[in-house]
Amino acid sequence: MRKQQPRKLQSGPHTVTGRAVQYRGALHNQRAKSVASRNHFASIFVIIIALALIAVSMCAAVYVMRSQFFDHSNRTAVKSPKELAIEAEKRESLIKAHKKLARRGIDPNSAEVRSVISKMSLEDKVAQMFVVKPEELVGINWTVTSSGAQMQQAFNSLPVGGIMYTRENIQSPEQTKSMISKLQEISNARVLLPAIVSVDEEGGTVARVSSNPQMGVNTSPNMRDIGVTKKMRKAYKAGAYIGKYLHDFGFNVDFAPVADVLTNPDNNLMKKRSFGSNPKLVAHMTDAFTDGLQENHVFATYKHFPGHGSTFEDSHKGTTVSNQTPFLLRKVDLVPFKDAVDTGVKFIMVSHVSYPKITGDDTPASMSEKIVTGLARKKLGYNGILISDSLGMGAISLRYAPSSAAITGIKAGLDMLLSPANLRQAYYSVVNAVRRGEIPESRIDDSVKRIIAVKLQIAKYQKLYK
């Protein structure tokens, strides 16, 4: 019988026997068991590592909890909002102190100032307390555009502390430079001091220089438009730009910035000129503007103390009243001015606004001892120059004669009188009031020392840039 051949199985392209298949299956099972065993040990190892990490984490957590709740020496205290506010206030005070030091200038009680004032007559000292338009000094009805023989004669007779130029006086860059340069020559020859050369150059709607296209400079935006951005850098740039061209033309004092907080949205006089209705924002913006201005050696003048932002009326036309209470005045209107005091600003302009809830009557601020001396000098501690707003404005000229306004303003504590309705009447009334003892000469000296201190600083700037 023919021997039967084993049956062949087909597996892919090759043919293997059944025993080979069994062998391969056993080998596969053995390998699978080996892999499973390794995976089992790996799982155990991962679990051990995880448990170890959990244990370490728990120990760390226990340590932290113990350090927080039991070991008080290592705790970091969480500061309350009040503590954070106190720290912020301290930082701000430190910044202001450094800024005041940088703006310090010359001490009004220094030997240098006392030496100058000791050589001045009463008449010359009183004259230094007036800042006027050139036409008011020369005594003419047409526009002054140069500082020639008439100006020299008038100045030698009545050597005023400063001149305020208006848009009409400013016709071209070269004409303006020449007019101011010759004025300074006249002043230095007569009183050995430079004149305060001032202008209203706030930017926007009040721009006596840049509003003349012939001057070749751009008008900065209204301060309201800068204020809404809340960017102090923009206020600084506006001040720096204005300060640069004012200095180039020869000005040394700018009657800006407006430091009024706009609490009355219907106040058309201040609506565009104020930085806004937030006291802190206005304080920061005016400070930044002042930095830019004064880095170009042009002194800033904060106005209109103690605040014109709550009024409805225009003090140019007549009596203007603010019904701010002492509390609101302190918390709102005075905030930017307090900042000016704390940072050493040299000029503050006093308004003609009446504050019946502060003074008890309708006396304009510029004529009120309670406002000028009581509030600015004593409560705020200001030791710079307090200058009136223009005494030719309706709020003063409709109520006071030029002589009365001048005497009353000085008695109230003003250092400088701006643009009286009649210069010579105002000037001689003050001189005579001192001579008859109505105003102590020491009171005049207090103001003139502040003026001389600033002028000596201006003189140093002039030498620096010659």
Side-chain angles (χ1 to χ4, degrees), residues 38-345:
R38 285 199 301 271
N39 288 342
H40 177 69
F41 284 115
S43 299
I44 293 173
F45 181 77
V46 169
I47 291 170
I48 291 171
I49 294 297
L51 289 173
L53 290 173
I54 292 171
V56 170
S57 299
M58 290 179 67
C59 290
V62 170
Y63 176 81
V64 171
M65 291 174 65
R66 286 189 62 189
S67 66
Q68 287 185 343
F69 294 103
F70 298 101
D71 186 7
H72 295 283
S73 62
N74 292 327
R75 287 183 64 184
T76 301
V78 177
K79 294 178 180 178
S80 68
K82 184 177 180 180
E83 289 173 322
L84 291 172
I86 291 172
E87 283 192 0
E89 189 175 337
K90 286 181 179 178
R91 284 196 299 271
E92 190 170 343
S93 296
L94 189 61
I95 291 170
K96 288 178 180 179
H98 282 299
K99 190 166 287 190
K100 188 171 186 176
L101 187 64
R103 296 176 179 174
R104 179 176 52 187
I106 296 171
D107 183 357
N109 294 308
S110 66
E112 186 178 11
V113 171
R114 291 199 305 270
S115 174
V116 173
I117 198 171
S118 67
K119 300 169 186 174
M120 298 176 73
S121 66
L122 170 63
E123 290 78 9
D124 283 1
K125 287 189 289 188
V126 172
Q128 286 294 297
M129 298 177 73
F130 288 87
V131 177
V132 298
K133 296 174 184 176
E135 295 82 7
E136 294 166 345
L137 177 59
V138 177
I140 58 176
N141 294 324
W142 59 88
T143 301
V144 171
T145 57
S146 64
S147 298
Q150 283 184 309
M151 173 61 74
Q152 184 172 7
Q153 183 179 357
F155 195 96
N156 286 342
S157 173
L158 206 170
V160 293
I163 296 292
M164 177 181 69
Y165 289 109
T166 65
R167 188 182 189 279
E168 290 71 29
N169 305 121
I170 301 163
Q171 297 187 339
S172 72
E174 291 308 315
Q175 168 266 334
T176 302
K177 290 178 183 179
S178 174
M179 177 175 65
I180 293 175
S181 176
K182 289 180 180 178
L183 170 68
Q184 293 295 23
E185 289 177 9
I186 293 169
S187 179
N188 281 304
R190 174 62 176 81
V191 291
L192 305 179
L193 290 168
I196 287 172
V197 184
S198 59
V199 68
D200 268 322
E201 193 74 7
E202 301 170 11
T205 57
V206 180
R208 312 305 186 205
V209 177
S210 62
S211 61
N212 182 349
Q214 299 300 319
M215 297 304 290
V217 293
N218 297 321
T219 299
S220 297
N222 284 302
M223 296 304 106
R224 176 188 65 181
D225 299 330
I226 293 176
V228 295
T229 69
K230 298 182 180 179
K231 294 181 179 179
M232 292 170 59
R233 186 69 183 171
K234 288 184 178 291
Y236 167 81
K237 285 184 176 180
Y241 179 72
I242 291 171
K244 175 67 168 61
Y245 66 72
L246 288 185
H247 178 263
D248 288 346
F249 294 140
F251 295 96
N252 50 45
V253 173
D254 186 10
F255 291 145
V258 169
D260 302 307
V261 181
L262 189 70
T263 54
N264 174 18
D266 295 323
N267 186 336
N268 292 323
L269 182 65
M270 297 299 167
K271 188 178 292 185
K272 294 181 180 180
R273 299 164 65 191
S274 167
F275 280 107
S277 58
N278 183 299
K280 277 287 186 184
L281 173 69
V282 174
H284 290 152
M285 289 292 187
T286 48
D287 184 60
F289 182 96
T290 298
D291 280 341
L293 199 66
Q294 296 193 166
E295 282 178 12
N296 288 280
H297 305 302
V298 176
F299 286 104
T301 307
Y302 273 50
K303 61 184 186 183
H304 307 81
F305 184 84
H308 210 315
S310 61
T311 61
F312 283 92
E313 304 89 357
D314 184 348
S315 52
H316 291 84
K317 299 176 181 178
T319 300
T320 305
V321 177
S322 170
N323 287 310
Q324 293 289 71
T325 63
F327 176 80
L328 285 176
L329 194 72
R330 185 174 68 255
K331 292 293 185 181
V332 179
D333 300 76
L334 289 178
V335 171
F337 293 103
K338 180 65 168 64
D339 193 71
V341 174
D342 292 343
T343 57
V345 169

